[in-house]
Every structure is written in C-alpha cells, then in structure tokens.
Amino acid sequence: MDIVFSEKHGLQDGRAELVNGELKPCFEAPVRAEMVRAALASHDLGRFRDPDPLPEGALARIHDPAFLAFLEGAWDRWSAAGRTWDALPLNWRAKGMRFDRAPDSIDGQLSHYSFDAGTPITAGTWAAVTSSAAVALTGAGLVAGGAPVAFSLCRPPGHHAGTAFYGGYCFLNNAALAVQALRDAGAERVALLDVDYHHGNGSQEIFYGRDDVLFVSLHGDPMFEFPFFLGHADETGEGAGEGFNLNLPLPAGTGWPDYRTALEHGLARIRDFAPDAVVVSLGLDTFKADPISQFKLESESYPEMGGLVAGLGRPTLLVMEGGYAVDDLGLNTARFVEGFRQVVG
C-alpha cells in the first residue's frame, strides 16, 4: 500500500482556537500527522511517497474560485494590516442577513467565508492546505490507476470545508477533491464514507444535489454536537441527489456494538449503490479518550472497523481526517489499516 504524505503539513501551526469562551492551544496540530506517520512506519503498513504536483484547475472542480482566491491571499492581506497573530473571524452571518455579497475588508471576508473561530489562518496555511489537497489527489490517482487501496495522510483535514466556506480545522475538502478526481478518471459512481466523529458538513453540502456520489456519515448527533447545523437523519439529498445522502447520527456515549450496527447499515447502502470506488474520510476521534468527542470506541474496535470497510471489496482511498487523542491516534490508525489489509491482502 502506498502512503502519501507531505512534510508541508507542518506549515499549518495555529497558535490558538476559541474553545468554551477561551483561547486555547489548537487541538489540530502538526504532531497529529507525525504520530500517524510514525505508527504506520513502525507497523510496516506501506511505502511512503511524496504527493505529485497539484494539477492545475483541480481545486476549482470542487471549490468556488472566489473562495480559493480569498484563502490564497488571506494571510498577506491580514499581515499587511500590521497583524502578526493568527487570522480569526470577527462575526458571522445569521438568518435575515445577506449571504450573496462578500465584504471588501479582510475582516469581513474572514467572517463571510468561515463558520467558526477554531480554524486560524497563518502564514503557512495556503502552502499546507494545497499540499494536503495534493496528497489526497495523488492517492486518488493511485486508486484510479488500479491500486486496491491507498492511504492519503492528509493534514490539515478537510471534511468540514464546503464549496465556499471553511471551519472545523478544514480549509479545502480533501476527500471531496479525491471523489471528483475519481469521477474525472472514469468512475461512474463513487461512495464517500465518513467515519469521523463530527459530521462532514462540507462534504454533504458539496454533493447534496448529485446522484453520482453517495455520501454516508456516522457522527455525533447535531442536536448536541459540532458542527450543529447539518447532519440530521432527515437530510437525504435534494433534486437529482435525493436519496444519495445518508446521515446516521448517534448519541453521546456510543460504544462499538451500537456503532458497528450503524456502520453495517451504512455499508449495506453503499453495496446497494455499487460504487466503482470508495473514499473514506477516516477520522479516529470516535476513540473513548478523544478530548473533543463523546463516543466510546476502544483501540480494539478499529481493526474490526477496518475489516468491515474493506469487506465492500471496492478500490478504496483512505483520507485522514480528525483524531485528537494524540498519544493514541497513531496506534488507532495503524490498527484500522491492519484490519483493512487483513481482508484485502
């Protein structure tokens, strides 16, 4: 198995995020990816390789060009105002306000394009997030080229980023970019399975009106959990996409037996869809010790989870998302991959 990884992930190293009314050190930090890399290497789970250059126009296959231009220039505009600290938004739009016009000022644009104060833009953000996107797209290319499985060790993560918004530690939607790349390479149908603890609201928004992509997400119920405003079971798609969005919200305290039941339901829907390829948004923040999550999966749950996903028998790209119990993240990721490889060989 090829594992795609870029050292440039470390260029995204925010100082603080807003948590419970306080500015605290960012949970999404470079050490996360380093722990995963070390664990995959120590368990001899694949061959590491650098990403290919980012294909021209690839980002705009998913993201709005104005949003991309904002992200690319945000730090320069922020620092030109004499600010040396991380760029965070000032306020957000609410019902009854206008959504169709982006302000001219950098503060206004930060507020226009973001949905939280936990995703700081720094001097290295654009380089890191475009490198992360290249990691995902390289993995998609490997799967499109015949690999039964590839691992894109993306950081920053991506599944909260939408067509024209960022948040939840995510700027560009790596998994969605990979899905589109697989479609562009000839796959008629692609399933996107999101097992991160938090709902992939960005992924849902991107594919909600499409019938060539099935989105299946298991996550903490948005009635109590971030990102709060998407992820309910009655969100099933719209227009051509009706019936191609399956949300499986679960209560706080969910352990492996109930999680497995929901996962098997989601996998059955994917089998019915009969995709040509599967992309997995692999978040490991379902772990019982994760500091910002409320599920109770054990390390021993992840080999079985990996085996169940591999049982789909489809070419699969694993795309790294969340997981913030840093000391356990690498081992849990390795165990998922081990379980997957036991099935696919």
Side-chain angles (χ1 to χ4, degrees):
M1 180 182 73
D2 281 311
I3 303 168
V4 190
F5 178 76
S6 171
E7 298 280 358
K8 291 183 180 179
H9 80 87
L11 295 173
Q12 172 63 12
D13 191 7
R15 300 179 189 178
E17 62 175 293
L18 189 65
V19 181
N20 300 327
E22 297 181 276
L23 283 173
K24 295 185 176 181
C26 293
F27 286 105
E28 205 295 290
V31 65
R32 297 179 55 251
E34 296 301 331
M35 295 294 279
V36 173
R37 177 172 65 165
L40 294 176
S42 67
H43 286 74
D44 195 23
L45 289 173
R47 302 169 298 275
F48 284 87
R49 57 159 294 171
D50 294 329
D52 296 328
L54 190 66
E56 184 176 354
L59 301 182
R61 296 290 290 134
I62 289 295
H63 293 290
D64 179 77
F67 172 63
L68 295 173
F70 156 75
L71 283 179
E72 184 175 12
W75 178 256
D76 287 344
R77 296 179 62 199
W78 177 261
S79 59
R83 302 163 181 177
T84 59
W85 51 92
D86 295 348
L88 290 171
L90 177 66
N91 65 303
W92 292 273
R93 301 163 297 180
K95 186 177 180 180
M97 295 182 179
R98 292 190 65 168
F99 282 68
D100 62 323
R101 295 188 67 180
D104 292 330
S105 69
I106 182 59
D107 293 284
Q109 290 195 359
L110 286 164
S111 297
H112 178 79
Y113 288 115
S114 69
F115 69 85
D116 71 6
T119 312
I121 291 178
T122 74
T125 296
W126 181 247
V129 301
T130 51
S131 179
S132 189
V135 167
L137 289 167
T138 301
L142 292 169
V143 172
V149 60
F151 191 108
S152 288
L153 209 180
C154 292
R155 181 187 171 269
H159 72 148
H160 292 305
T163 305
F165 61 80
Y166 74 98
Y169 311 145
C170 303
F171 299 91
L172 300 173
N173 196 311
N174 304 311
L177 289 164
V179 167
Q180 187 60 53
L182 288 164
R183 285 283 292 113
D184 292 342
E188 292 187 10
R189 294 178 301 280
V190 180
L192 175 51
L193 172 64
D194 193 324
V195 297
D196 191 281
Y197 170 78
H198 301 92
H199 179 252
N201 58 306
S203 300
Q204 174 171 311
E205 183 265 342
I206 289 166
F207 296 118
Y208 203 60
R210 291 173 55 168
D211 61 2
D212 58 333
V213 178
L214 172 68
F215 179 60
V216 176
S217 178
L218 291 76
H219 51 270
D221 194 315
M223 291 303 293
F224 71 87
E225 190 54 81
F226 179 94
F228 302 116
F229 304 113
L230 279 181
H232 297 280
D234 63 354
E235 299 159 10
T236 57
E238 63 182 8
E242 177 60 47
F244 294 90
N245 193 92
L246 176 61
N247 285 326
L248 299 168
L250 297 167
T254 293
W256 175 242
D258 289 336
Y259 190 95
R260 174 176 176 148
T261 297
L263 177 60
E264 290 176 330
H265 178 60
L267 294 175
R269 177 67 185 92
I270 293 173
R271 289 190 183 92
D272 290 342
F273 181 62
D276 299 302
V278 176
V279 175
V280 180
S281 275
L282 183 60
L284 281 301
D285 43 2
T286 49
F287 182 55
K288 64 180 181 180
D290 196 275
I292 59 173
S293 307
Q294 300 186 61
F295 285 175
K296 300 299 180 184
L297 273 61
E298 308 275 350
S299 288
E300 292 74 22
S301 307
Y302 294 110
E304 188 173 358
M305 183 191 295
L308 288 170
V309 174
L312 289 169
R314 302 289 177 172
T316 301
L317 175 64
L318 307 175
V319 177
M320 195 72 203
E321 299 283 3
Y324 308 97
V326 174
D327 291 341
D328 301 282
L329 178 59
L331 176 60
N332 290 341
T333 306
R335 286 181 168 175
F336 179 97
V337 174
E338 285 175 333
F340 191 102
R341 288 187 60 183
Q342 285 176 4
V343 174
V344 300

